[in-house]
Amino acid sequence: STNHKDIGSLYLWFSFIMFLTGGAMAMVIRAELFQPGLQLVEPNFFNQMTTVHGLIMVFGAVMPAFTGLANWLIPMMIGAPDMALPRMNNWSFWILPFAFTMLLSSVFMDGGGPNFPWTFYAPLSTTYSPDSTALFVFAIHIMGISSMMGAINVIVTIVNLRAPGMTSMKLPLFVWTWLITGFLLIAVMPVLAGAVTMVLTDKFFGTSFFDTAGGGDPVMFQHIFWFFGHPEV
């Protein structure tokens, strides 16, 4: 469907499924921490759970929930028949299930899934990470592409499809917040893409962006990551 309400509902259902998936991982984490010395799962599997739980809750539950609300409400609030770019809207949703299927499938790889908590700081995500890091980076890229397409769609819709007489000062606050969010997403998503690409090349292609031995700086990763991270939040 290219109907904004259908796509909004798809986002909300997807978000709910991811919420349950991330919640199951949280249960593993809490069970392991139930009492000192209890050993229910392997330490490495525990680390994978903390990482994938965080990624799924932030990128799979919270963000699609808000995007789904935006899809549902913005056209109705500004008097538009649909989003400005309905086919792109459809695409930006449908690449998400595949991205998160890849992220989840990485847990079943040899060496396990990503095991550096969701902020994936270097050198944990470069020198000490499993080979599934490549799959994790690809999943993050696809998620970022989805976010950017959604943001472009929201901005174009709000700027171009307002009902006659609805000036910017008459827009509901929800629409304003999404207009600002759209610009923030377009500004910071490429920064995250750059950060995870540097993680990828540090791990597999011999670069040393975050390796002090080669003239890099692990603290630079944190600067780049949080330049994305806070506007995102």
Side-chain angles (χ1 to χ4, degrees), residues 9 27 45 51 54-55 76 85 138 145 178 189 195 216 219:
S9 297
M27 296 300 282
F45 185 72
T51 305
L55 290 166
M76 298 199 291
L85 306 158
F138 191 34
I145 290 166
W178 254 102
M189 272 302 167
V219 179

Side-chain angles (χ1 to χ4, degrees), residues 26-43:
M27 296 300 282
V28 173
I29 296 166
R30 297 319 307 175
E32 178 68 27
L33 297 173
F34 185 62
Q35 82 191 46
L38 186 68
Q39 197 77 55
L40 285 177
V41 295
E42 288 292 311

Side-chain angles (χ1 to χ4, degrees), residues 84 127 161 171 174 184 208 224:
T127 313
L161 292 189
L171 286 177
F174 180 82
L184 283 175
S208 36
I224 299 170

Side-chain angles (χ1 to χ4, degrees), residues 40-86:
L40 285 177
V41 295
E42 288 292 311
N44 191 42
F45 185 72
F46 178 85
N47 293 343
Q48 292 170 43
M49 288 293 100
T50 57
T51 305
V52 183
H53 159 76
L55 290 166
I56 279 185
M57 285 306 204
V58 174
F59 297 127
V62 176
M63 288 172 58
F66 283 113
T67 312
L69 284 174
N71 262 302
W72 253 98
L73 296 174
I74 288 173
M76 298 199 291
M77 283 182 166
I78 65 173
D82 203 325
M83 296 292 277
L85 306 158

